[in-house]
Amino acid sequence: MSDCLFCKIVAGEIPADIVYENDQLIAFKDINPKAPVHLLIVPRKHYPTLNDIPDEEMDIIAEIHKAVKVLAKKFGVAESGYRTLVNTNKEGGQVIYHVHYHLIGGRQLRA
Ligand code: 5GP
Ligand code: ZN
């Protein structure tokens, strides 16, 4: 999607602090972190929301969670704890319409 911010980051057209990447996804630091660790894990392929991932392509979700495990360890929050979340559509608080997982940690998060 030519007008999608995260597609531009995936394409290297907009800079980001990339912390992990493979052939299916990239992960980078959130520009407005809500905690000491705040990463975004983003499929390279453009899906506007979680609702738009076809059942036969849901393997990407497992890949994202594999990256979450690696990154939680790398950023030192695997044992202390962290949160993963996906905002979907307006009332879910989604702002960027390219599927992404937040990985947030490094402080006590409210329940
Ligand atoms: P959403 O509310 O869509 O789940 O979250 C979008 C996230 O993207 C927000 O946490 C916001 O801070 C982050 N974000 C927005 N624009 C940029 C950007 O240009 N670069 C980076 N690294 N993060 C961004
Ligand atoms: Zn996109």
Side-chain angles (χ1 to χ4, degrees), residues 28-40 102-105:
F28 49 88
K29 293 185 180 177
D30 195 292
I31 206 167
N32 183 23
K34 303 284 190 293
V37 177
H38 189 166
L39 309 175
L40 301 173
H102 296 255
L103 190 171
I104 301 170

Side-chain angles (χ1 to χ4, degrees), residues 13-24:
E13 293 166 16
I14 288 178
D17 194 343
I18 294 171
V19 294
Y20 183 83
E21 60 185 315
N22 64 29
D23 59 337
Q24 295 187 68

Side-chain angles (χ1 to χ4, degrees), residues 5-6 9 14-17 28-34 38 40 85-88 92-98 100 102:
L5 178 66
F6 286 176
I9 289 176
I14 288 178
D17 194 343
F28 49 88
K29 293 185 180 177
D30 195 292
I31 206 167
N32 183 23
K34 303 284 190 293
H38 189 166
L40 301 173
L85 65 91
V86 185
N87 298 321
T88 299
Q94 188 171 6
V95 174
I96 306 287
Y97 280 78
H98 179 133
H100 53 282
H102 296 255

